[in-house]
Amino acid sequence: MKSKINKIITAVLIAVFSVVCISCGKSGNEGKEKLKIVTTLFPQYDFAKQIAGDNAEITLLLTPGSESHTYEPTPKDVSKIQQADIFLYIGGESEVWADDVLRSVKNEKIKAVRLMDYITPVEEIHDTSEGEEHGHDETEFDEHIFTSLKNAEILLDEISSVICEADKANSEIYKKNASEYMIKIKELDEQFTELINNAERKTVVFGDRFPFRYFAEDYGLEFHAAFSGCSSETEASSATMSYLIDIVKKENIPVVFYIEFSAKTIADKIADATGTKTSLLHSCHNISKEDLQNNVTYVDLMTNNYKNLSEAIN
């Protein structure tokens, strides 16, 4: 199982890091410098950046453009967590390594925030298409909590509180920045609500993984997809393809979605078979190097999702 493999790899990394740091003494956090904030995924990286700005040194562990579900921390990553003032992670199945790293950390000052603790998680759906059955011994919760704008509001508020507590001298600045970003997220939530409430259809089809369970439940969207949100599969069965093609034809759906960094193979095949188009719905897990350099934000990505979803349901 992936989590067991993660634990073994992480244990080795922790052991290596401990040997390397044995002569390091305490981390260089003695003097009052910028806050050191380390994040695993893009959403919390963006939230911390919007709140703290230049007052913090914010690190995104996930390399731009890489796949979040297969990420493993390097000794350098473990070192960054060791020296952080704040560590922000989701805490789902893909991040079981984080708890192991935190148990090894000798920095008592670090504030680790497991963001799944602040929302009500829903169970991961392992079968989003008809006729496919997969056995699972354990209940796994969907870790894509940030696809919900309502959850994003909760996460932003919690991250703001943690940053304000860590740097009280600048707390008013942080509160103001968080409030301004919160307004943008709330406005987007209202726009999505209005869009979907007045839509011609409330069904979406993904020729890809489906990491939008929280988003769909927020607005009452029905969804059909080739794979679950954390699936490692890349090829859909003939039964799944037939089912998705039938749904598109039967419900006259004009757009088949794919997610960021996807090869688009399945979405393209469905679109070719049904005469429809394909479009991106970004899960915000991670962004490209270009987007990072251009300061693309979570709100920017969700705004573009609004535009693409508009075409699909109207």
Side-chain angles (χ1 to χ4, degrees):
M1 186 174 177
K2 183 176 183 292
S3 61
K4 291 181 179 178
I5 296 173
N6 285 349
K7 284 179 177 292
I8 294 171
I9 295 173
T10 302
V12 173
L13 287 170
I14 291 169
V16 171
F17 175 68
S18 297
V19 172
V20 170
C21 288
I22 226 163
S23 62
C24 295
K26 294 183 179 179
S27 68
N29 261 349
E30 299 287 337
K32 186 60 180 175
E33 302 173 347
K34 285 186 176 182
L35 277 178
K36 288 184 173 63
I37 304 174
V38 175
T39 71
T40 54
L41 301 183
F42 176 71
Q44 62 264 38
Y45 168 84
D46 179 61
F47 295 168
K49 184 179 178 183
Q50 298 300 323
I51 294 165
D54 293 333
N55 285 332
E57 178 186 315
I58 307 170
T59 300
L60 174 61
L61 294 181
L62 189 64
T63 304
S66 63
E67 169 55 57
S68 62
H69 297 95
T70 56
Y71 167 80
E72 296 290 350
T74 65
K76 186 177 180 181
D77 293 339
V78 175
S79 176
K80 289 176 181 177
I81 296 170
Q82 166 76 34
Q83 299 175 64
D85 296 301
I86 299 170
F87 176 50
L88 305 172
Y89 69 113
I90 300 299
E93 180 72 12
S94 297
E95 293 185 355
V96 291
W97 59 265
D99 292 317
D100 294 328
V101 169
L102 288 170
R103 279 191 287 271
S104 76
V105 167
K106 300 300 186 287
N107 176 7
E108 296 180 358
K109 290 172 54 183
I110 187 172
K111 172 64 175 177
V113 183
R114 185 179 185 272
L115 295 170
M116 281 191 77
D117 291 341
Y118 297 92
I119 59 94
T120 302
V122 297
E123 190 173 345
E124 172 79 294
I125 292 179
H126 292 279
D127 175 20
T128 58
S129 62
E130 189 173 289
E132 300 292 307
E133 293 184 1
H134 306 279
H136 292 270
D137 297 329
E138 301 175 4
T139 298
E140 295 178 8
F141 291 104
D142 195 315
E143 59 197 56
H144 309 93
I145 58 177
F146 41 80
T147 60
S148 161
L149 287 158
K150 291 175 172 57
N151 282 349
E153 294 172 23
I154 296 170
L155 303 183
L156 181 69
D157 190 56
E158 177 58 28
I159 292 170
S160 175
S161 296
V162 171
I163 293 175
C164 287
E165 180 63 26
D167 183 11
K168 294 184 175 66
N170 291 303
S171 62
E172 292 306 312
I173 295 173
Y174 301 147
K175 289 175 184 176
K176 179 177 181 293
N177 291 343
S179 177
E180 290 175 353
Y181 206 51
M182 183 74 78
I183 290 171
K184 294 179 180 180
I185 293 174
K186 285 181 178 290
E187 286 178 346
L188 259 179
D189 180 30
E190 291 171 1
Q191 289 169 17
F192 273 111
T193 299
E194 183 177 2
L195 169 69
I196 296 167
N197 282 348
N198 297 306
E200 290 182 20
R201 64 184 65 82
K202 290 182 171 59
T203 300
V204 290
V205 170
F206 277 70
D208 214 321
R209 300 199 307 258
F210 186 76
F212 290 92
R213 174 87 188 278
Y214 292 94
F215 179 88
E217 293 208 351
D218 279 351
Y219 307 114
L221 282 175
E222 181 180 350
F223 52 90
H224 303 275
F227 314 115
S228 63
C230 288
S231 175
S232 59
E233 297 177 80
T234 56
E235 292 189 18
S237 68
S238 57
T240 294
M241 291 297 292
S242 295
Y243 175 71
L244 294 176
I245 288 170
D246 286 347
I247 288 291
V248 172
K249 289 180 176 179
K250 187 185 301 182
E251 304 205 18
N252 197 29
I253 292 172
V255 176
V256 177
F257 286 114
Y258 60 90
I259 63 172
E260 69 275 11
F261 311 127
S262 170
K264 291 179 53 185
T265 307
I266 298 171
D268 285 341
K269 286 180 179 178
I270 296 171
D272 288 344
T274 57
T276 56
K277 62 178 287 188
T278 61
S279 189
L280 168 69
L281 214 64
H282 204 299
S283 76
C284 304
H285 252 118
N286 197 9
I287 59 174
S288 67
K289 184 177 180 180
E290 293 72 24
D291 282 346
L292 190 65
Q293 291 172 340
N294 291 328
N295 295 315
V296 168
T297 69
Y298 171 86
V299 165
D300 292 334
L301 297 177
M302 293 300 285
T303 298
N304 197 58
N305 283 348
Y306 175 88
K307 295 175 184 175
N308 292 342
L309 183 63
S310 298
E311 290 188 56
I313 61 177
N314 287 319

